[in-house]
Amino acid sequence: MLRHGALLEFEKEADLPEVKALAARTWEFADFVVHALGVKTWPGRYDARIAFHRNCHNRGTDSEAAALTLLGSIAGATVVPFGEQEQCCGFGGTFSVAFPHVSSSMGTLKLEHIRAAQPDVLVSGDMSCLMHMGGLAQKAGQPVKTQHLAQVMRDALKNGGLLR
């Protein structure tokens, strides 16, 4: 949002140059690791079938591809496809407050598609999405393990004996 949304929010403000400067040095995690640091393979091991949720605020960026590059490089990790992967989970910040029934329905539908792929873990670069879908799954009595991409990367290092 800082790279894209903030520029729209401040386009007629006097401090737009400062906002642009902040946006230029702001990165999403996976995008930073792959494109700024040049890391394309991640060491360690993570034995799991992973359903990767593509969060809406990263649409039109290189962040999704970067996350999939990292996940695909981890020994033992398999990213599994599922139906309607591009669909929103329904959380969307204030959207879930303004339209709670629509938000819940969208998240529940997304979870149905994810469950059909039988992953071991649902991974995303967006904690809000994971909180939303994890909460819906818990409420339905069908908990789903969720992890942020950074947690998977940390666990891969631990499982590979590279991190204590």
Side-chain angles (χ1 to χ4, degrees), residues 46-89:
Y46 189 85
D47 292 308
R49 289 173 46 86
I50 297 169
F52 180 73
H53 170 65
R54 294 146 170 81
N55 47 317
C56 294
H57 74 268
N58 280 339
R59 290 177 193 227
T61 72
D62 292 330
S63 296
E64 174 188 327
L68 291 171
T69 294
L70 292 168
L71 288 171
S73 74
I74 298 171
T78 303
V79 179
V80 295
F82 57 90
E84 298 189 35
Q85 286 184 263
E86 299 303 320
Q87 292 302 314
C88 177
C89 73

Side-chain angles (χ1 to χ4, degrees), residues 5-149:
L7 301 180
L8 296 173
E9 290 286 328
F10 287 84
E11 68 184 350
K12 295 181 181 176
E13 302 296 326
D15 53 355
L16 180 60
E18 289 85 1
V19 173
K20 283 183 176 180
L22 176 62
R25 64 181 190 270
T26 302
W27 292 84
E28 188 275 337
F29 176 68
D31 199 15
F32 179 77
V33 171
V34 172
H35 297 111
L37 298 179
V39 176
K40 301 209 180 349
T41 58
W42 195 254
R45 182 165 197 87
Y46 189 85
D47 292 308
R49 289 173 46 86
I50 297 169
F52 180 73
H53 170 65
R54 294 146 170 81
N55 47 317
C56 294
H57 74 268
N58 280 339
R59 290 177 193 227
T61 72
D62 292 330
S63 296
E64 174 188 327
L68 291 171
T69 294
L70 292 168
L71 288 171
S73 74
I74 298 171
T78 303
V79 179
V80 295
F82 57 90
E84 298 189 35
Q85 286 184 263
E86 299 303 320
Q87 292 302 314
C88 177
C89 73
F91 193 69
T94 58
F95 179 85
S96 63
V97 175
F99 305 101
H101 299 297
V102 175
S103 175
S104 293
S105 294
M106 289 172 73
T108 299
L109 178 61
K110 182 94 181 194
L111 280 168
E112 288 173 11
H113 289 290
I114 290 167
R115 280 193 191 98
Q118 299 179 334
D120 299 311
V121 60
L122 171 60
V123 175
S124 182
D126 189 312
M127 288 303 295
S128 299
C129 296
L130 293 174
M131 180 182 70
H132 177 59
M133 289 187 285
L136 288 170
Q138 185 73 29
K139 185 177 178 182
Q142 298 176 311
V144 172
K145 180 180 178 182
T146 61
Q147 282 193 301
H148 189 278
L149 172 64

